[in-house]
């Protein structure tokens, strides 16, 4: 058993070949794997810059309306379950740790830890989506889902502005959840490739680029949580 485990953790023999003509991982338009890696990293950062602008527009819209209707937004925020939001924050921060460990395992050519950490990261992502689906279901049953023409039930003042808050809530968290689903799909593919020994200490570019993407999605949630769940203060009795 120990021998089998040791063999699985050994670097892939293909990793010894890293020159232009020998590496099976080197695309024809790059001189070496390092140049290919730096190009991939630059492309990933450029992609993440567009993502910053994408989410930045939504954050800007939220900030404008939050400044215009502070009382309504604070009141509507109290109808979100901050405990579930906090749970999801812990889940995502933990997934960032396991993704960082997966990148480390990929960089050092450890196949078994790589598969395990990727699988844990994917599982935590699914937990996050599961908690989010519980929240969405609760909001639907309470009549606090004004999207798609659904009736909006609101007792109290500022019904129109409260509906605007929930519009922004579902749009912002919905796009964030979509990014989570995409990330989980990519991680599932990486697990399959890692299982077949496609990564080693010389080739781990997809793992590191996926790690950058996953950390970015986690950071977006770190901003979403206080803006949506905590702006009205925490009501411990609720």
């Amino acid at each position: 058993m120990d021998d089998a485990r040791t063999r699985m953790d050994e670097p892939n023999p293909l990793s010894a070949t890293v020159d232009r003509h020998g590496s099976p991982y080197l695309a024809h338009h790059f001189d070496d794997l390092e140049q290919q890696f730096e190009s991939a990293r630059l492309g990933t950062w450029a992609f993440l810059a567009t993502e910053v602008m994408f989410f930045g527009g939504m954050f800007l819209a939220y900030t404008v309306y939050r400044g215009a209707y502070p009382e309504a937004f604070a009141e509507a925020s109290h109808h979100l379950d901050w405990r579930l939001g906090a749970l999801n924050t812990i889940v995502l921060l933990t997934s960032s740790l396991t993704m960082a460990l997966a990148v480390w395992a990929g960089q050092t050519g450890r196949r078994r830890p790589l598969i395990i950490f990727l699988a844990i990261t994917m599982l935590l992502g699914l937990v996050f989506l599961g908690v989010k689906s519980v929240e969405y279901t609760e909001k639907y049953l309470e009549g606090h889902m004004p999207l798609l023409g659904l009736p909006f039930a609101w007792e109290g003042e500022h019904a129109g502005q409260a509906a605007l808050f929930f519009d922004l809530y579902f749009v912002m968290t919905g796009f964030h959840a979509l990014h989570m689903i995409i990330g989980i799909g990519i991680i599932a593919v990486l697990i399959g490739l890692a299982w077949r020994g496609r990564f080693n200490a010389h080739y781990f570019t997809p793992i590191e680029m996926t790690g950058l993407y996953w950390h970015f999605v986690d950071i977006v949630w770190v901003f979403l949580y206080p803006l949506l769940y905590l702006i009205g203060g925490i009501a411990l009795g609720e």
Side-chain angles (χ1 to χ4, degrees), residues 39 47 55 58 67-68 77 82 92 96 101 127 132 143 175-176 186 191 196 199 212 235:
S39 298
F47 167 71
F55 279 101
M58 288 185 279
S77 174
W82 65 268
L92 277 195
S96 265
L101 291 171
V127 170
K132 208 75 209 130
F175 275 113
H176 177 264
I186 295 173
I191 291 174
R196 289 186 286 177
F199 303 118
L212 288 175

Side-chain angles (χ1 to χ4, degrees), residues 15-122:
S15 66
T17 312
V18 296
D19 60 279
R20 181 182 179 87
H21 304 289
S23 174
Y25 311 111
L26 184 63
H28 65 89
H29 47 285
F30 293 107
D31 292 330
D32 51 47
L33 287 177
E34 182 178 359
Q35 184 188 55
Q36 180 174 275
F37 175 80
E38 292 300 329
S39 298
R41 183 158 61 180
L42 178 61
T44 301
W45 279 112
F47 167 71
L48 294 181
T50 66
E51 290 287 88
V52 169
M53 290 187 284
F54 176 74
F55 279 101
M58 288 185 279
F59 278 110
L60 178 60
Y62 174 89
T63 302
V64 171
Y65 286 115
R66 168 75 175 88
Y69 312 118
E71 294 182 2
F73 271 47
E75 184 180 354
S77 174
H78 284 154
H79 288 264
L80 298 179
D81 192 331
W82 65 268
R83 297 173 184 82
L84 291 179
L87 172 62
N88 261 350
T89 302
I90 295 172
V91 168
L92 277 195
L93 291 178
T94 305
S95 76
S96 265
L97 172 63
T98 55
M99 176 53 83
L101 291 171
V103 172
W104 164 79
Q107 291 172 335
T108 54
R110 291 172 166 82
R111 191 175 70 162
R112 183 186 294 273
L114 171 62
I115 295 172
I116 292 174
F117 289 131
L118 286 176
I120 295 175
T121 303
M122 186 173 68

Side-chain angles (χ1 to χ4, degrees), residues 74-81 139 142 144 154-155 166 238:
E75 184 180 354
S77 174
H78 284 154
H79 288 264
L80 298 179
D81 192 331
K139 294 304 113 188
E142 294 170 357
H144 292 162
W154 186 257
E155 296 181 358
F166 281 104
E238 294 182 355

